Amino acid sequence: FFSETVTDSLRALLLEWAGYKVQVFEFIGGEHTSKNVMITAVKDKPSAMSTDGKAEIQSRIHALAGMYGIRRHKLAELMGFEMHPWLAVDGKPAVRDARYMPPI
C-alpha cells in the first residue's frame, strides 16, 4: 500500500513539473480495492508556471525519490526528467549539488 502511495505521488509531481494541473483522489472506497486512486491531469497554459515553481517541484521529486531510493521511474524517463542529477550516466558519482539531496 505504501509503495503505491509513493509511486502515485511521484506521478502527480512529474505531471505538475510538465505543466499539468493535477488532481489525485480516491474513486472507489478502500474496502473494495487497494488500488483506488485516480490521477487526472489537464495541460495548463505554457506560461502558467514560474521558473521557481518548476524548480520547487523538481526539488520535491528529487527529495522523494532520494528518500525512498528510487533510481528509475518510467514516466520520468518518458518525460525526459533526470531522476538523479548527481549521478553520471555511467553510474559513477558526479559532483554533488546540495539542492538535489534529500532532506536529512
Side-chain angles (χ1 to χ4, degrees):
F1 176 73
F2 183 72
S3 61
E4 294 166 0
T5 302
V6 173
T7 301
D8 289 338
S9 297
L10 278 173
R11 288 178 183 143
L13 285 168
L14 285 163
L15 287 166
E16 281 186 53
W17 173 82
Y20 288 83
K21 287 194 179 257
V22 179
Q23 289 184 308
V24 181
F25 56 93
E26 181 179 70
F27 68 99
I28 297 175
E31 64 275 2
H32 300 291
T33 179
S34 62
K35 296 186 183 236
N36 61 353
V37 173
M38 179 179 286
I39 300 173
T40 61
V42 176
K43 187 71 171 170
D44 206 356
K45 295 177 185 174
S47 62
M49 185 183 301
S50 69
T51 304
D52 289 342
K54 192 165 184 166
E56 170 64 26
I57 292 170
Q58 182 175 341
S59 176
R60 290 172 59 195
I61 294 168
H62 288 146
L64 185 62
M67 187 180 309
Y68 293 103
I70 299 168
R71 295 185 171 271
R72 294 185 63 218
H73 193 283
K74 189 63 176 180
L75 181 58
E77 290 175 8
L78 292 170
M79 297 171 98
F81 183 88
E82 190 176 356
M83 287 296 280
H84 293 283
W86 60 85
L87 291 179
V89 176
D90 61 2
K92 294 179 182 173
V95 176
R96 289 184 177 235
D97 186 334
R99 293 176 298 164
Y100 301 119
M101 298 303 295
I104 298 176

